[in-house]
Amino acid sequence: MTTPNVATSERIAIRGLLGAVNADLETPMRPEWERAAWNVPRSAFVPERIFLGDGLEPCNRADAPETWLRAVYANDSVVTQINDGQDPDDGERWASSSASAPSIVFRMLHMLDVRDGHRVLEIGTGTGWNAGLLAHVAGPGNVTTVEVDPALAAEAGERLRKKGVTADVVTGDGAEGHTGNAPYDRLVATCSVRSVPRPWLTQVKPGGVILTPWESPWVCYGLLRMTVDDTGAASGPFSPHSAFMLMRNQRTDLRIYRDVVRDDHQPDESTTDLPPWRVSGDDLAVQFAVGLLLRDVWWTWHDNPDVEGVASRLWVATTDATSWAAVDWDGKSDDRFTVWQHGPRPLWNEVEAAHAWWRLHDRPDPERFGLSVTATGESAWLDSPDQPVPVTG
């Protein structure tokens, strides 16, 4: 493939990508972001080897250039690292870093409202593409980006240098931010958090913006946009977008039979008329609300659990593995389910109460919720900060 053909293919791909992104956004992209997309092309930042499909099979640019280019300029995320960079051999593969879908990248850049001269702190460098876009608009030397993985940081720094982008790439824990170039006008995270790291508050100017993907153990969903006030506190609303990998220092690795349920547990038996899929299905609004109210509870489905009369079982457990519940569906009835609960907290009762609260408040979408954060704590709210939600856990 000759260089002119590659250049032509890329021009076509960029035009197509910008069209797809604009179709996804409520308002057209600002001209400066379109210029950034042309001047800081995504292909210059996605690594030569990516991982495709549910099986995360490797795709090397040298071996499959057309497949690689299609993946790079699709309006979708691209997995760029698996298993924290370790060789999985024949074991389980899981995504540990990715290039986010361009539509969410530009949606977040729009929400961040970066202007020329703004000092920006990015948490999670990844490939470096987002930092390159930010630097193109904020200006040379105004972007600091922090990456916990030394190899990813080094690779991103090299890509930025090759494109002539001046940005400060720092290897470190993003939860600590970076005091060296503070204070910042904007802080943006490209990984989700379950709790806002307090150092972020102290490193952003009053009136500055913090934008981060959000996750609860219940569901990974939502963007949180907060404004910092004169006291160093921050508050702002959620929006219903995104699903990002969790910040590494906030990860949990729990499995029901390995970490939670024990042979000597004697659970209490009861029944419920709340279908378990009602709080764990396609309705992300209710999942988001349950996740805000039950901040330390997660779930997993177990189909065909090899239990007589049980077609599917929903497991619910606390992140400290001290309480659990199981809700059984017999494959027939849709209005009566058997519940088993063990531990100091009756978890399914808590789930029922959270669902009832959500219904009582007119089934609010994520946009009606917000979060306020101070140096000593954080509180979720509905519609306004003076209406806190009843958080458990």
Side-chain angles (χ1 to χ4, degrees):
M1 185 179 290
T2 64
T3 301
N5 285 337
V6 171
T8 299
S9 298
E10 185 145 1
R11 286 197 297 270
I12 294 171
I14 292 174
R15 289 194 191 100
L17 178 60
L18 290 175
V21 170
N22 272 305
D24 270 359
L25 301 178
E26 289 77 13
T27 57
M29 291 171 61
R30 280 172 27 201
E32 56 265 42
W33 292 121
E34 290 216 15
R35 290 193 293 270
W38 283 101
N39 285 278
V40 188
R42 197 181 191 215
S43 62
F45 291 86
V46 174
E48 300 289 301
R49 184 174 71 159
I50 57 179
F51 302 87
L52 303 179
D54 294 339
L56 296 176
E57 295 298 326
C59 171
N60 294 304
R61 185 178 190 178
D63 299 331
E66 293 182 358
T67 300
W68 184 91
L69 190 67
R70 279 197 302 271
V72 168
Y73 282 109
N75 188 17
D76 201 355
S77 60
V78 178
V79 175
T80 57
Q81 185 196 69
I82 61 173
N83 298 61
D84 286 340
Q86 303 300 310
D87 187 350
D89 294 322
D90 295 326
E92 179 184 1
R93 297 183 178 190
W94 46 274
S96 54
S97 187
S98 67
S100 302
S103 58
I104 192 62
V105 168
F106 286 104
R107 181 183 295 278
M108 290 179 67
L109 293 173
H110 174 77
M111 293 174 65
L112 198 61
D113 193 27
V114 173
R115 304 291 170 168
D116 184 22
H118 275 167
R119 297 184 67 80
V120 183
L121 176 62
E122 179 191 39
I123 308 299
T125 311
T127 66
W129 186 49
N130 203 59
L133 296 171
L134 286 166
H136 190 271
V137 171
N142 284 326
V143 174
T144 302
T145 178
V146 181
E147 172 59 53
V148 69
D149 188 309
L152 294 181
E155 292 165 4
E158 182 61 24
R159 295 185 192 111
L160 289 164
R161 283 189 291 274
K162 284 182 177 179
K163 292 304 297 181
V165 176
T166 303
D168 191 359
V169 181
V170 177
T171 302
D173 183 356
E176 298 300 321
H178 182 66
T179 58
N181 296 326
Y184 303 96
D185 300 281
R186 300 288 187 269
L187 185 154
V188 59
T190 62
C191 53
S192 62
V193 298
R194 293 179 177 175
S195 180
V196 176
R198 300 305 182 266
W200 294 3
L201 303 183
T202 64
Q203 295 175 27
V204 176
K205 298 176 181 177
V209 172
I210 296 173
L211 178 65
T212 182
W214 183 258
E215 175 176 321
S216 68
W218 195 268
V219 65
C220 179
Y221 187 58
L223 287 172
L224 174 63
R225 187 185 192 275
M226 302 188 297
T227 302
V228 178
D229 65 23
D230 292 337
T231 70
S235 186
F238 290 99
S239 65
H241 304 288
S242 90
F244 281 72
M245 295 178 189
L246 186 63
M247 178 175 281
R248 291 193 185 185
N249 69 359
Q250 294 190 11
R251 288 177 181 170
T252 54
D253 179 21
L254 291 170
R255 300 185 184 184
I256 288 293
Y257 291 115
R258 185 190 69 188
D259 306 309
V260 179
V261 178
R262 298 286 182 263
D263 290 340
D264 61 348
H265 287 177
Q266 298 293 322
D268 297 322
E269 181 181 359
S270 60
T271 60
T272 182
D273 58 5
L274 175 63
W277 50 82
R278 191 72 56 79
V279 291
S280 61
D282 295 333
D283 191 341
L284 290 174
V286 65
Q287 285 210 54
F288 184 83
V290 171
L292 271 188
L293 272 69
L294 305 180
R295 293 287 293 273
D296 64 344
V297 181
W298 58 285
W299 60 268
T300 186
W301 275 100
H302 187 181
D303 293 322
N304 302 313
D306 196 25
V307 176
E308 185 178 355
V310 180
S312 292
R313 170 174 286 173
L314 177 69
W315 289 99
V316 178
T318 54
T319 54
D320 65 3
T322 61
S323 297
W324 60 264
V327 185
D328 290 344
W329 178 52
D330 61 10
K332 302 173 184 177
S333 174
D334 288 341
D335 57 6
R336 184 64 60 181
F337 308 88
T338 302
V339 178
W340 308 92
Q341 299 191 91
H342 181 271
R345 290 170 56 182
L347 281 192
W348 188 249
N349 299 55
E350 292 184 10
V351 172
E352 288 181 313
H355 180 260
W357 182 94
W358 178 73
R359 293 185 59 193
L360 180 66
H361 291 82
D362 299 321
R363 296 176 169 84
D365 289 327
E367 300 102 314
R368 289 184 57 192
F369 291 97
L371 193 77
S372 297
V373 185
T374 67
T376 58
E378 60 187 37
S379 59
W381 41 265
L382 179 67
D383 297 327
S384 66
D386 61 356
Q387 297 186 60
V389 300
V391 174
T392 300

